[in-house]
Amino acid sequence: MKGDMVYINEVKPLNANGSIKLNGPSGSLPTQMTDDWVTGAIDRLRQTGDAAAMQTADIIQAAKDNGKLVKLVTGVDSQGATVVKLGGAK
């Protein structure tokens, strides 16, 4: 969180050509970082029964509902990191 914005950051290896590959749909999980994936992550956090996880789910849901959620993917390699904003709040 920064200010009233909530950031979700998925970290992946940065490929030699500079690309980043997110996991595609698998079983009951949609493609990583899609809106459906975020909704599923919120649901999985709530289902844990853990108070801190459920609070995190509520924070993410509120940010999503209010246009305050930003999705990022960070690609890392031995040279450093590259961050890509996937959309969301401006």
Side-chain angles (χ1 to χ4, degrees):
M1 292 178 60
K2 184 173 183 180
D4 63 348
M5 302 300 291
V6 174
Y7 296 83
I8 295 178
N9 186 25
E10 180 72 33
V11 179
K12 292 290 189 179
L14 189 61
N15 296 321
N17 66 359
S19 66
I20 301 168
K21 181 168 176 39
L22 294 171
N23 292 338
S26 173
S28 64
L29 296 175
T31 300
Q32 282 183 312
M33 300 303 281
T34 62
D35 289 339
D36 288 341
W37 183 87
V38 172
T39 298
I42 292 167
D43 291 342
R44 288 188 300 279
L45 285 167
R46 287 189 175 136
Q47 291 171 9
T48 66
D50 176 77
M54 294 182 341
Q55 181 180 18
T56 299
D58 292 343
I59 290 167
I60 296 169
Q61 183 68 61
K64 186 175 177 225
D65 292 346
N66 295 310
K68 304 283 184 180
L69 181 66
V70 179
K71 297 182 283 184
L72 304 168
V73 176
T74 301
V76 295
D77 64 11
S78 62
Q79 303 301 310
T82 301
V83 179
V84 177
K85 181 179 174 190
L86 296 178
K90 299 186 189 298

